[in-house]
Amino acid sequence: FLLFLKLENKTKGKLQKQICQVVLDHFEKQYTTELGDIWISVRDVLTYPMCWQYAILLNKFSQSAELENTLHVKGYHPAFQGPLPYLPASLKCYIRRTPGRFPAQKHQAGKLKEYYLLNAASLLPVLALEVKDGEDVLDLCAAPGGKSVAILQCAYPGNFHCNEYDDLRSRWLKQTIESFIPDPLINLIMVSKLDGRQIGDLKPELYDKVLVDAPCSNDRSWLFSSDIQQATLRLIQRKELSFLQFQLLRSAIKALRPGGSLVYSTCTLSKAENSDVINLILNSCSNVMPVDISEMAKAVSQEFTFLSGTQQHELLVLPEKGRAWGPMYVAKLKKM
């Protein structure tokens, strides 16, 4: 028992050590102002990885009845049920209330993985996008590839363009696609390393649906930056992120066909990178209008906690104990 206590204290010590104080102080200031008392409970979840949860997205191209039985036995249940405006039967994601991580599968050349571990909230942008068979789809900032894989669980796009500008992340994206998507279908996917800000000019009005899962200040991982200098640099560069996000969105709008729709998402709580960016786009682009996604939010409110008071075209998932999903901001726009 004493040994167990020692080990537990050791892990607690490790967790305490891992938190980057520079980032936490910065977040304290900003999020206390933006979220008020809500920040305290959100902070408790974000700074304590032992209570984080992981969802299991099944791969329909490598189905296993045995895996689903195992998940049921271990207390997992479907993440998405009820009257969602869009929920393809082929999208299967399992969650459970208790923390803990299902073992990840290693990448093996020529062998498809059976599931993908992810934050369940990161499937909300995919559900908001509502991709249908035959539509031309662009995933503008696609790495590491979880949302691309999820889109392909939902429908068979006519053309599917996955773009990732960063070299290392682009390799990661390719590996993810190879791990989950079978051969004939892989030929429908174009993976590029273009500057997302230029895609709109290079491929004007080419897509029915565009996902902009933008580079953002990733609150979860930034809190555990082990390199203080890198963390400080990140916080300085953070101010420039909203302009990059705005440029990516403007490019995405150009790439959309009239009548097409766009979903913007981030994994930060930051108002400057979320609703401020969307408001700026709505005020400066006369050819887009907001799309109400409140029905989707209502349908999943049993499993996800949302910030109240947001507009109908946006939602913000707040992590809380037992529902430690998010942060995840989602907004939907349509091109006129």
Side-chain angles (χ1 to χ4, degrees):
F1 178 69
L2 282 174
L3 180 69
F4 171 73
L5 272 182
K6 269 183 192 166
L7 281 171
E8 197 185 33
N9 287 333
K10 212 173 173 183
T11 32
K12 272 188 185 160
K14 266 188 190 167
L15 283 176
Q16 291 307 309
K17 258 183 246 168
Q18 283 175 343
I19 288 169
C20 183
Q21 201 56 48
V22 183
V23 176
L24 185 58
D25 293 346
H26 183 89
F27 283 1
E28 281 289 357
K29 225 186 261 169
Q30 182 184 349
Y31 294 148
T32 303
T33 308
E34 288 179 15
L35 300 169
D37 293 344
I38 299 168
W39 164 241
I40 297 161
S41 58
V42 169
R43 181 194 60 200
D44 289 350
V45 173
L46 291 181
T47 53
Y48 190 59
M50 300 294 270
C51 72
W52 292 3
Q53 291 153 281
Y54 296 88
I56 297 160
L57 174 67
L58 302 194
N59 185 11
K60 71 175 181 185
F61 305 111
S62 176
Q63 275 177 330
S64 158
E66 198 184 321
L67 172 61
E68 287 202 63
N69 292 336
T70 306
L71 292 173
H72 285 300
V73 169
K74 287 185 179 290
Y76 283 86
H77 63 274
F80 304 106
Q81 298 171 88
L84 270 148
Y86 171 85
L87 182 62
S90 52
L91 181 80
K92 288 184 177 179
C93 177
Y94 283 89
I95 58 174
R96 65 175 181 183
R97 282 289 162 95
T98 46
R101 194 172 187 157
F102 205 70
Q105 289 181 310
K106 283 193 166 64
H107 173 72
Q108 287 175 279
K111 193 173 190 295
L112 293 182
K113 291 186 182 183
E114 293 176 347
Y115 57 88
Y116 188 96
L117 297 180
L118 78 176
N119 185 319
S122 62
L123 290 175
L124 295 176
V126 174
L127 290 173
L129 197 60
E130 300 190 22
V131 175
K132 294 176 181 65
D133 288 351
E135 289 183 324
D136 296 325
V137 181
L138 167 64
D139 189 349
L140 191 70
C141 317
K147 292 181 182 70
S148 299
V149 166
I151 286 169
L152 289 165
Q153 301 303 312
C154 294
Y156 293 97
N159 292 303
F160 191 23
H161 181 178
C162 299
N163 182 68
E164 178 53 55
Y165 186 48
D166 181 87
D167 195 49
L168 190 68
R169 286 173 65 82
S170 182
R171 288 206 292 275
W172 189 5
L173 168 67
K174 276 182 183 158
Q175 193 180 69
T176 302
I177 289 170
E178 278 164 24
S179 293
F180 286 90
I181 311 305
D183 248 351
L185 189 60
I186 240 171
N187 303 331
L188 292 178
I189 305 166
M190 180 175 107
V191 179
S192 66
K193 288 199 301 184
L194 299 165
D195 182 335
R197 294 169 293 188
Q198 291 165 5
I199 279 184
D201 291 323
L202 295 170
K203 298 180 181 296
E205 302 197 347
L206 212 65
Y207 304 99
D208 301 298
K209 302 276 164 78
V210 179
L211 175 64
V212 184
D213 186 42
C216 66
S217 43
N218 184 328
D219 296 356
R220 269 185 198 241
S221 65
W222 281 26
L223 276 166
F224 293 88
S225 310
S226 48
D227 183 334
I228 302 264
Q229 277 177 305
Q230 188 200 34
T232 312
L233 187 65
R234 273 175 171 172
L235 292 173
I236 293 164
Q237 291 170 337
R238 192 180 196 210
K239 295 183 185 78
E240 294 157 27
L241 275 171
S242 55
F243 183 56
L244 169 65
Q245 291 154 348
F246 174 75
Q247 288 176 303
L248 289 168
L249 270 171
R250 228 175 23 186
S251 172
I253 291 162
K254 282 181 187 173
L256 259 187
R257 290 184 179 128
S261 48
L262 171 156
V263 168
Y264 172 75
S265 60
T266 73
C267 49
T268 179
L269 298 160
S270 174
K271 188 172 166 289
E273 296 174 53
N274 293 342
S275 47
D276 287 359
V277 174
I278 290 295
N279 289 338
L280 190 59
I281 279 288
L282 287 169
N283 290 330
S284 60
C285 300
S286 57
N287 61 341
V288 286
M289 60 179 283
V291 178
D292 186 348
I293 53 170
S294 58
E295 280 307 308
M296 180 185 83
K298 219 180 289 171
V300 297
S301 59
Q302 238 183 323
E303 300 295 351
F304 299 92
T305 305
F306 297 106
L307 177 69
S308 58
T310 55
Q311 296 178 82
Q312 287 186 317
H313 60 272
E314 58 176 0
L315 56 86
L316 178 62
V317 179
L318 301 171
E320 63 168 33
K321 283 197 178 79
R323 299 198 287 189
W325 315 114
M328 178 60 59
Y329 175 81
V330 184
K332 186 170 184 177
L333 306 173
K334 184 175 181 165
K335 186 171 181 176
M336 322 278 269

